Amino acid sequence: MNKLNNIVVYCGSNWGENPAFFAAAQALGQTLADNGHTLVYGGGNVGLMGTVADAVLAHGGKVIGVIPTFLKQKEVAHLGLTELIETADMTSRKNTMIALASGFIALPGGLGTYEELFEVLSQAQLRLHPHPVGVLNVAGFFDPLLALLRDTVRHGFMPEANLSLLCVADSAPALLAKMAAWQAQDAVKWVQPSWKQA
């Protein structure tokens, strides 16, 4: 079983059009707090980012925010956190969050959320970190992404075993249970396609 002390959550700085996204962020925050997990996130007070942080704090949990100086200067930093770490830039922010993590969860979000999710998935593929990665698939938000990953396998750019790098569930308790039980699978990274073997 994986000990999920600090869970990094990647999510939107907007709320999205579906109120289910907001409800899921609140539920995830409460679940993290109730189970003694510390939230590590991007340090913002807006969108789903602020929602999940507020929910953790409201239920007595700990929250570590990591925010680059330029975003703090735009007054989007959450100033009520357990700890707020300021970094020089976005790259330092991402690396700091990864270094603090014992697991990663993506909620719905935009380009930044996708970038962060794919970075930790790529690092998991290369065994650069040993932690589970999950998506909270609220209202089927990540269905197109999951289809893309299956197509990536079909086209020969990823071994099928690497689909198991990503834990998927539509509720916070189910996702955390999958992440706690997750184990890395060995996969061959570089494979000759059939047309090269002829």
Side-chain angles (χ1 to χ4, degrees), residues 6 8 38-44 49 63-73 76-101:
N6 292 349
V8 168
T38 296
L39 169 67
V40 178
Y41 85 117
M49 293 176 67
V63 182
I64 300 171
V66 185
I67 195 165
T69 299
F70 82 93
L71 284 180
K72 188 176 181 185
Q73 290 171 344
V76 297
H78 195 310
L79 301 180
L81 305 178
T82 310
E83 182 180 359
L84 183 63
I85 299 170
E86 189 173 337
T87 64
D89 51 40
M90 295 290 282
T91 300
S92 300
R93 175 208 224 178
K94 289 188 297 179
N95 290 338
T96 299
M97 291 170 70
I98 291 169
L100 290 170

Side-chain angles (χ1 to χ4, degrees), residues 27-28 31 135-138 168-177:
L28 176 60
T31 301
V135 294
L136 192 57
N137 195 21
V138 185
V168 182
D170 61 6
S171 74
L175 183 58
L176 288 169

Side-chain angles (χ1 to χ4, degrees), residues 130-168:
H131 309 304
V133 181
V135 294
L136 192 57
N137 195 21
V138 185
F141 179 85
F142 287 106
D143 286 351
L145 183 144
L146 298 172
L148 173 66
L149 292 177
R150 291 191 294 270
D151 276 349
T152 303
V153 171
R154 184 170 61 85
H155 288 293
F157 287 100
M158 185 174 79
E160 186 171 6
N162 278 356
L163 292 174
S164 70
L165 291 172
L166 190 61
C167 301
V168 182

